[in-house]
């Protein structure tokens, strides 16, 4: 219980009690922030979820993540993990794993990170891009809808997406592999937004 309360209050997950950041990405595909156990059970039932994909790095130590896996096991929901970070771009192996999970997971799917604003935005973009819905994919990094803060360090993910789309290339994994280091050197975040994203919101 102490670990759960720590996660809830110190790690700012209490925000997710009031702001679930839940949205429909596509038919049978949803995105959200990390949900508390009560809300997760309710959404599994309401949307008949078959798969949950977590993009959190600390899944083995976060009390909410540990409880989430337990709930999935109890309710017959497949629980998958693809560890992403919003401060650096994923490598080839991570992108291949993400693509495989998104293509093969049983729907309805719920995918999330901690706040549902950064890593989940990247995964939603890639899902829709791989499906061929580029117009909709471009909208997955919205601040007003999803809370993604583009001028912060987390903005590197949609900067990368923009550069890829401008390149005219079709293979996003190969393009990212060849341009990953360049993009990370080029992107310049703003200090004030880093403070808000990292310190005030305490995002991963």
């Amino acid at each position: 219980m102490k670990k759960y309360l720590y996660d809830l209050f110190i790690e700012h997950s209490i925000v997710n009690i009031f702001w679930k950041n839940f949205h429909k990405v596509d038919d049978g595909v949803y995105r959200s922030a990390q949900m508390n156990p009560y809300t997760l059970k309710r959404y599994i039932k309401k949307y008949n979820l078959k798969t949950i994909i977590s993009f959190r790095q600390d899944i083995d130590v976060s009390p909410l993540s540990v409880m989430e896996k337990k709930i999935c096991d109890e309710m017959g929901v497949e629980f998958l993990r693809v560890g992403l970070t919003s401060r650096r771009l994923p490598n080839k192996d991570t992108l291949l794993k993400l693509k495989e999970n998104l293509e093969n997971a049983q729907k309805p799917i719920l995918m999330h990170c901690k706040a549902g604003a950064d890593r989940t935005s990247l995964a939603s973009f890639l899902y829709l891009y791989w499906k061929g819905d580029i117009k909709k994919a471009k909208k997955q990094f919205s601040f007003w809808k999803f809370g993604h803060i583009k001028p912060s360090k987390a903005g590197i993910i949609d900067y990368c997406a923009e550069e890829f789309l401008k390149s005219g290339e079709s293979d996003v994994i190969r393009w990212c592999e060849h341009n990953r280091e360049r993009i990370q050197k080029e992107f310049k975040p703003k200090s004030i937004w880093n403070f808000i994203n990292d310190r005030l919101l305490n995002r991963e």
Side-chain angles (χ1 to χ4, degrees), residues 21 95 163:
N21 210 5
L95 287 173
E163 289 296 300

Side-chain angles (χ1 to χ4, degrees), residues 89-144:
L89 300 175
N91 58 31
K92 178 182 177 181
D93 289 342
T94 301
L95 287 173
L96 286 171
K97 182 179 179 181
L98 176 62
K99 189 172 190 288
E100 179 182 5
N101 276 269
L102 291 175
E103 289 180 344
N104 298 326
Q106 184 180 3
K107 296 180 180 179
I109 300 168
L110 173 66
M111 51 186 176
H112 74 83
C113 48
K114 182 178 181 180
D118 303 323
R119 292 167 289 183
T120 303
S121 290
L122 173 61
S124 299
F125 166 83
L126 289 170
Y127 171 85
L128 291 166
Y129 177 80
W130 283 323
K131 187 184 176 186
D133 195 341
I134 299 176
K135 183 178 180 180
K136 199 172 179 180
K138 292 178 179 179
K139 299 178 180 179
Q140 298 304 304
F141 296 104
S142 168
F143 168 76
W144 298 109

Side-chain angles (χ1 to χ4, degrees), residues 54-204:
S54 174
F55 305 125
R56 298 193 65 175
Q57 294 274 6
D58 63 346
I59 197 169
D60 297 321
V61 296
S62 165
L64 284 175
S65 294
V66 172
M67 284 187 279
E68 178 180 40
K69 186 178 186 308
K70 182 178 179 181
I71 289 170
C72 286
D73 290 341
E74 291 172 349
M75 300 184 71
V77 176
E78 185 174 17
F79 183 75
L80 302 174
R81 174 197 180 185
V82 182
L84 298 177
T85 173
S86 60
R87 300 337 190 245
R88 290 184 62 82
L89 300 175
N91 58 31
K92 178 182 177 181
D93 289 342
T94 301
L95 287 173
L96 286 171
K97 182 179 179 181
L98 176 62
K99 189 172 190 288
E100 179 182 5
N101 276 269
L102 291 175
E103 289 180 344
N104 298 326
Q106 184 180 3
K107 296 180 180 179
I109 300 168
L110 173 66
M111 51 186 176
H112 74 83
C113 48
K114 182 178 181 180
D118 303 323
R119 292 167 289 183
T120 303
S121 290
L122 173 61
S124 299
F125 166 83
L126 289 170
Y127 171 85
L128 291 166
Y129 177 80
W130 283 323
K131 187 184 176 186
D133 195 341
I134 299 176
K135 183 178 180 180
K136 199 172 179 180
K138 292 178 179 179
K139 299 178 180 179
Q140 298 304 304
F141 296 104
S142 168
F143 168 76
W144 298 109
K145 190 171 184 179
F146 308 118
H148 175 67
I149 302 177
K150 186 173 182 177
S152 72
K153 291 178 183 177
I156 192 171
I157 56 178
D158 57 296
Y159 176 72
C160 180
E162 290 173 358
E163 289 296 300
F164 165 69
L165 292 175
K166 287 193 297 185
S167 73
E169 296 288 335
S170 58
D171 189 335
V172 63
I173 296 179
R174 183 177 63 182
W175 186 89
C176 284
E177 181 184 10
H178 292 158
N179 293 275
R180 184 169 178 259
E181 295 302 321
R182 173 180 67 82
I183 293 296
Q184 289 176 163
K185 290 178 181 178
E186 285 181 357
F187 181 71
K188 305 298 181 185
K190 307 294 184 182
S191 298
I192 183 61
W193 290 107
N194 287 335
F195 176 78
I196 292 172
N197 208 42
D198 297 348
R199 300 298 181 182
L200 295 183
L201 298 177
N202 200 23
R203 290 181 177 174
E204 294 173 350

